Amino acid sequence: MTQNARDISALLGSRICHDLISPLGAIGNGLELLSMSGVANAEMTLIAESVANANARVRFYRVAYGSASADHAMGRAEITGILDDINRGSRLSVSWKPEAACMRQDVKLAFLVIQCLETALPYGGQITVSHTEGVWRLHGSADKLKVDQDLWDLLAQNKPDVSISPSQVQFALVPEMVTALGRNLTLQMRDQDILVSY
């Protein structure tokens, strides 16, 4: 993918997420007004939970698939808020260790790697994100992993001949972004954990 195509894809991701945020927010506000007026039932609770989940996903996708300028930073509270919201009620937990604000392009790459790790943790588990001495480490662990080796080979070696589905697009984007940021990705896989470093 050329630089221009990559930029257009990121802008497209940003546009879609931007356009979805407003109507989801309006639905959430409408539900809040209904609950304040005394109209509350199990159906409304279900709708409210679905809207909150959709909002969390759009916020996550906006970072992972949207445009990220080199000079834009994200605070820790915003990052952990997105991760907490998207994993609420799930068997997967993500621990974000960096205390300081991070550049948005670094968060974008970390979010894409988190999505890669999620594919290997379908039964739940723990993902820990750390950044020390200029090196990012994302460690996924669980009692049982489910690994599609072709996808992880693509991630580690940027193999162009691996076909991917829409739900696996992160595996194609990570190597390109690692290269664009001038980093080298290393991958360690064991029976119960995966460590991605760059």
Side-chain angles (χ1 to χ4, degrees):
M1 187 181 292
T2 65
Q3 178 68 38
N4 190 46
R6 201 164 39 235
D7 292 344
I8 290 172
S9 296
L11 289 171
L12 178 61
S14 290
R15 173 61 191 263
I16 292 169
C17 291
H18 177 270
D19 288 355
L20 287 174
I21 284 282
S22 294
L24 285 172
I27 294 168
N29 290 339
L31 288 169
E32 189 175 335
L33 288 172
L34 284 172
S35 67
M36 289 169 58
S37 67
V39 179
N41 53 42
E43 291 83 359
M44 278 187 55
T45 300
L46 183 60
I47 294 169
E49 288 172 357
S50 296
V51 170
N53 183 268
N55 253 322
R57 289 184 180 281
V58 170
R59 288 171 57 222
F60 182 92
Y61 293 156
R62 192 175 196 177
V63 175
Y65 297 102
S67 60
S69 62
D71 59 348
H72 183 225
M74 291 181 69
R76 185 177 194 278
E78 181 181 4
I79 297 165
T80 57
I82 291 171
L83 293 172
D84 289 347
D85 287 347
I86 201 166
N87 289 303
R88 183 167 284 118
S90 121
R91 293 177 291 176
L92 180 70
S93 64
V94 180
S95 175
W96 185 271
K97 296 297 185 185
E99 294 290 337
C102 300
M103 300 312 296
R104 188 178 180 116
Q105 59 188 6
D106 289 329
V107 181
K108 174 185 173 87
L109 180 53
F111 277 19
L112 289 170
V113 175
I114 287 170
Q115 281 202 303
C116 292
L117 290 168
E118 284 176 343
T119 67
L121 306 169
Y123 314 108
Q126 169 75 36
I127 297 173
T128 304
V129 182
S130 62
H131 181 231
T132 53
E133 299 179 356
V135 178
W136 286 88
R137 292 180 182 84
L138 289 93
H139 181 244
S141 61
D143 292 336
K144 185 177 180 182
L145 300 182
K146 183 178 179 183
V147 174
D148 183 328
Q149 196 59 54
D150 284 342
L151 290 175
W152 288 94
D153 287 345
L154 174 64
L155 188 74
Q157 301 167 19
N158 199 14
K159 288 186 178 179
D161 58 344
V162 176
S163 66
I164 58 168
S165 69
S167 66
Q168 301 163 337
V169 69
Q170 62 271 19
F171 284 94
L173 295 175
V174 167
E176 289 188 357
M177 189 160 186
V178 166
T179 300
L181 293 177
R183 299 178 179 269
N184 294 307
L185 185 144
T186 60
L187 180 62
Q188 298 174 37
M189 304 184 76
R190 292 177 292 200
D191 289 343
Q192 295 183 322
D193 69 310
I194 301 172
L195 177 62
V196 180
S197 305
Y198 51 86

